[in-house]
Amino acid sequence: MTNSASPLPVTSVDVDAAARVLAPFAVRTPLLSSPALDERVGAKVFLKLEMLQRTGSFKFRGAFNKLSSIPQAARGGGVVAFSSGNHAQGVAAAAQILNMRATIVMPSDAPRSKRERTKGYGAEVVLYDRDREDREAIARDIAGKHGATLVPPYDDPKVIAGQGTVGREIAEDMAALGITPDIVIAPASGGGLVAGVATAVKARYPLARLMSAEPEGFDDHARSLRAGKREPHRAEGRTICDALMASIPGQITFAINQRLLTQGVTASDVEVGIAVAFVFRELKLVVEPGGTVGLAALLAGRFEAHGKTIVIVLSGGNVDADLYAKLIG
Amino acid sequence: MTNSASPLPVTSVDVDAAARVLAPFAVRTPLLSSPALDERVGAKVFLKLEMLQRTGSFKFRGAFNKLSSIPQAARGGGVVAFSSGNHAQGVAAAAQILNMRATIVMPSDAPRSKRERTKGYGAEVVLYDRDREDREAIARDIAGKHGATLVPPYDDPKVIAGQGTVGREIAEDMAALGITPDIVIAPASGGGLVAGVATAVKARYPLARLMSAEPEGFDDHARSLRAGKREPHRAEGRTICDALMASIPGQITFAINQRLLTQGVTASDVEVGIAVAFVFRELKLVVEPGGTVGLAALLAGRFEAHGKTIVIVLSGGNVDADLYAKLIG
């Protein structure tokens, strides 16, 4: 909680500007309540349905806001990004709309659906070995050769402001309902989504408690928030939450999250699988494992929820059919 | 088109009254647009997401409106209904809220998820053989013994008015967007949903073309609309659209549909399967086969859609996980 008086790198004014940029292109996703869910957890829950966003995740918002900020003179070189999947699609779709060339550096074990969908938006996909190659170095090399602009997945004020429009819509919809949220939760990998959401929600609801949600073990935000400084997670291997495997919070995102977040919550892969099946069976929505980790923590009783008003961002729905079939079976 | 000057059995005033009854209990489901879908079909499409309704289908609306109209003195006898699944859940959930006893007569081959969910709402489930027993006779027998009120699945003004709130919300949301629908499509089994939707939509948009959607072969509405009188379909056997197997339009529903509908469209089981997978992959929503037949007809090019503004009701999402896994695989 150092530097509490210094200005934050992204403010709600930046989010408002991003909302104007995005309005003609992004889907204004619904905020859903479910009697079945409320009864199950004994709380009033609202779900922000970002799997219904263009490209199937919130990532389109930050990518489009970032690409729109590139000066015309620099657009000819195109853009390059590294991503396990959702940022890839967001950048590719934004580039397609803005008529820019996009190259995406993806791990070779990214879900097939995410690779194919990225190509479907007209991007060139370059695969790398997650365990042996440095994706940032590969992306920078491509950026150098083509004069392309690197689009960071989270540690960028324009990207964070774009993701913040998720929180701005939540705040607008809650205000329209006349209901004040007690807790707002969003998944965290590098922390861009939850930083943007916190920025926008706190501007209207300063007493709301903002929380990051991560897969058990991949809990670098939870650790860092407790420690008061950026700390890597200790996990080795994989989680089914393929979208949430960043090793340490971003610098810019953590400068925001350290000030605006109350705590980090986690859920195990088993709890995430149960949540994916619950969402299929009871809510009739397709959510990818990483997109449901906040709800998984709620369903697993990982934090005190009884009687509270809770908003949870379901951040994406890009999941391979074979994994999905296993999780709901 | 006989009796065109006679009053219809349900009007938009009845739908307005149903909307007031339902407001505290039903989910006001979103109307979603999808850039991916619009690009695919070359039209502006809005999807009414009734799989997000309480019980996973629109059926809760009609059931709750009907049960709420039963006088207090008659409520002690409870209610009885026959249904292949979605009406069963709607009646069971409505009875649970209103603290009434519910008995549901279901075919023994109804999807397991629908049977279990019906029991989950506290109803007693009585199974019958679809090919050898008369479900209406069984239900009437139970009604006679217990003094229970029979809740018809579609051929009842209160049920139709309840389903009409789907159309009322569509009309409200389109008006808020300032967009006039050219075509509005809803699935038809007995025709209660499409009759209610047509009643409400036509009240605000008299020039909109209303269409029923049915599985190929189970096209009793398409046939009846062409013939100008109620005609049964000629199908034998089954369709994957388990919710849409009524053999002939209802009397009351057809009195409305004959006046307000332009035509009936159909889609084959293969086309429905493709649509279910499309909705999973591109829209991230879980829709049951019968719930997607209107969208299936659009995706299959079964009617002229190019350049039009089209609203399609996705009517439910109660599908067994094993069938769903096959359809999306």
Side-chain angles (χ1 to χ4, degrees):
Chain A
M1 292 292 185
T2 52
N3 300 321
S4 64
S6 66
L8 288 171
V10 177
T11 71
S12 66
V13 175
D14 301 314
V15 178
D16 292 344
R20 287 190 294 273
V21 169
L22 283 167
F25 301 101
V27 175
R28 197 187 188 294
T29 58
L31 192 67
L32 182 77
S33 64
S34 155
L37 176 57
D38 288 357
E39 282 159 27
R40 162 87 172 252
V41 299
K44 184 69 198 153
V45 185
F46 295 88
L47 301 171
K48 179 65 169 169
L49 306 187
E50 278 299 296
M51 80 287 281
L52 304 185
Q53 185 52 260
R54 199 189 269 262
T55 73
S57 94
F58 73 96
K59 287 282 191 180
F60 174 78
R61 298 177 186 256
F64 191 85
N65 193 47
K66 175 66 177 176
L67 266 61
S68 298
S69 76
I70 297 172
Q72 282 297 339
R75 291 192 184 185
V79 291
V80 59
F82 45 89
S83 163
S84 64
N86 282 334
H87 179 56
Q89 291 177 63
V91 171
Q96 190 175 49
I97 291 171
L98 295 168
N99 206 18
M100 295 169 72
R101 191 171 66 179
T103 307
I104 312 292
V105 183
M106 298 183 84
S108 50
D109 63 348
R112 184 168 47 86
S113 62
K114 291 183 177 178
R115 295 203 310 269
E116 290 179 357
R117 289 166 60 89
T118 302
K119 288 181 191 168
Y121 293 113
E124 183 185 347
V125 172
V126 176
L127 298 177
Y128 76 99
D129 184 322
R130 196 194 283 267
D131 295 321
R132 304 194 311 182
E133 296 182 89
D134 178 355
R135 65 181 187 174
E136 303 197 26
I138 295 170
R140 282 201 202 91
D141 183 52
I142 292 167
K145 273 184 203 154
H146 298 322
T149 303
L150 183 66
V151 184
Y154 46 83
D155 226 7
D156 180 284
K158 290 289 183 189
V159 171
I160 296 167
Q163 322 304 29
T165 59
V166 173
R168 188 176 188 273
E169 291 171 11
I170 289 170
E172 279 182 350
D173 288 359
M174 294 300 284
L177 292 167
I179 301 173
T180 299
D182 298 312
I183 297 172
V184 179
I185 304 178
S189 185
L193 173 63
V194 73
V197 167
T199 300
V201 170
K202 281 283 198 182
R204 196 185 287 240
Y205 297 107
L207 298 181
R209 292 165 59 208
L210 273 288
M211 300 182 186
S212 61
E214 293 168 305
E216 197 169 75
F218 296 77
D219 58 345
D220 44 295
H221 278 82
R223 286 171 180 271
S224 300
L225 291 168
R226 279 197 302 270
K229 61 186 173 64
R230 293 166 65 227
E231 290 212 340
H233 64 66
R234 308 283 173 83
E236 293 176 7
R238 300 276 188 272
T239 160
I240 58 168
C241 301
D242 60 89
L244 302 182
M245 290 172 66
S247 57
I248 188 166
Q251 290 190 313
I252 302 172
T253 59
F254 192 67
I256 298 167
N257 289 328
Q258 188 180 15
R259 290 260 290 279
L260 302 186
L261 267 54
T262 306
Q263 70 180 97
V265 298
T266 63
S268 70
D269 276 8
V270 168
E271 289 164 349
V272 167
I274 290 169
V276 169
F278 176 87
V279 172
F280 164 78
R281 201 174 56 244
E282 299 294 336
L283 306 180
K284 315 302 180 188
L285 295 163
V286 177
V287 70
E288 63 183 277
T292 194
V293 67
L295 180 61
L298 171 66
L299 291 172
R302 294 293 198 113
F303 60 96
E304 179 53 43
H306 194 81
K308 300 225 165 22
T309 298
I310 303 169
V311 181
I312 298 178
V313 181
L314 299 179
S315 55
N318 292 316
V319 54
D320 281 354
D322 51 356
L323 172 61
Y324 193 71
K326 273 181 213 145
L327 293 174
I328 65 174
Chain B
M1 292 293 184
T2 51
N3 299 322
S4 64
S6 66
L8 288 171
V10 177
T11 70
S12 66
V13 175
D14 302 313
V15 178
D16 292 344
R20 287 190 294 275
V21 169
L22 283 167
F25 301 101
V27 176
R28 196 187 188 294
T29 58
L31 191 67
L32 182 77
S33 64
S34 155
L37 176 56
D38 288 357
E39 283 158 27
R40 162 88 173 252
V41 299
K44 184 70 197 152
V45 185
F46 295 89
L47 301 171
K48 179 64 168 170
L49 306 187
E50 278 299 296
M51 78 287 282
L52 304 184
Q53 185 52 261
R54 199 189 268 263
T55 73
S57 92
F58 72 96
K59 285 283 192 180
F60 174 77
R61 299 176 184 256
F64 190 86
N65 193 48
K66 174 66 178 177
L67 266 63
S68 298
S69 76
I70 297 172
Q72 283 296 338
R75 290 192 184 185
V79 291
V80 59
F82 45 89
S83 164
S84 63
N86 283 333
H87 179 56
Q89 292 178 62
V91 171
Q96 191 175 49
I97 291 171
L98 295 168
N99 205 20
M100 295 169 73
R101 192 172 64 178
T103 307
I104 311 291
V105 183
M106 299 184 82
S108 51
D109 63 348
R112 184 169 47 86
S113 63
K114 292 183 176 178
R115 295 203 309 270
E116 290 179 358
R117 289 167 60 89
T118 302
K119 288 180 190 168
Y121 293 112
E124 183 186 347
V125 172
V126 176
L127 297 178
Y128 77 98
D129 183 322
R130 196 195 283 268
D131 295 320
R132 303 195 312 184
E133 296 181 272
D134 178 355
R135 65 182 188 175
E136 302 197 26
I138 295 170
R140 281 201 203 92
D141 184 53
I142 292 167
K145 274 185 200 152
H146 297 321
T149 303
L150 182 66
V151 184
Y154 46 82
D155 226 9
D156 180 283
K158 290 288 182 190
V159 171
I160 295 167
Q163 322 304 30
T165 59
V166 173
R168 189 176 187 273
E169 292 171 11
I170 290 170
E172 279 181 350
D173 288 358
M174 294 300 284
L177 292 167
I179 300 174
T180 300
D182 298 311
I183 296 172
V184 179
I185 304 178
S189 185
L193 173 63
V194 73
V197 167
T199 299
V201 170
K202 282 282 198 181
R204 197 186 286 241
Y205 297 107
L207 298 182
R209 292 165 59 207
L210 272 291
M211 300 182 187
S212 60
E214 294 168 304
E216 197 168 74
F218 296 77
D219 58 345
D220 44 295
H221 278 83
R223 285 171 180 272
S224 300
L225 290 168
R226 278 197 302 270
K229 61 187 174 61
R230 294 166 65 228
E231 290 211 339
H233 65 66
R234 308 282 172 84
E236 293 176 7
R238 299 278 188 272
T239 159
I240 59 169
C241 301
D242 60 272
L244 303 182
M245 289 173 67
S247 57
I248 189 166
Q251 290 190 313
I252 302 171
T253 58
F254 193 67
I256 297 168
N257 288 328
Q258 188 180 14
R259 291 259 290 277
L260 302 185
L261 268 54
T262 305
Q263 69 180 100
V265 297
T266 64
S268 70
D269 276 9
V270 169
E271 289 164 349
V272 166
I274 290 170
V276 169
F278 176 86
V279 171
F280 164 78
R281 202 174 56 244
E282 299 294 336
L283 306 180
K284 315 301 180 189
L285 295 162
V286 177
V287 70
E288 63 184 276
T292 194
V293 67
L295 180 60
L298 171 65
L299 290 172
R302 293 294 197 113
F303 61 94
E304 178 53 42
H306 193 81
K308 300 226 165 22
T309 298
I310 303 170
V311 181
I312 298 178
V313 181
L314 298 179
S315 54
N318 292 317
V319 55
D320 281 355
D322 51 357
L323 172 61
Y324 192 71
K326 273 182 213 146
L327 292 176
I328 66 174

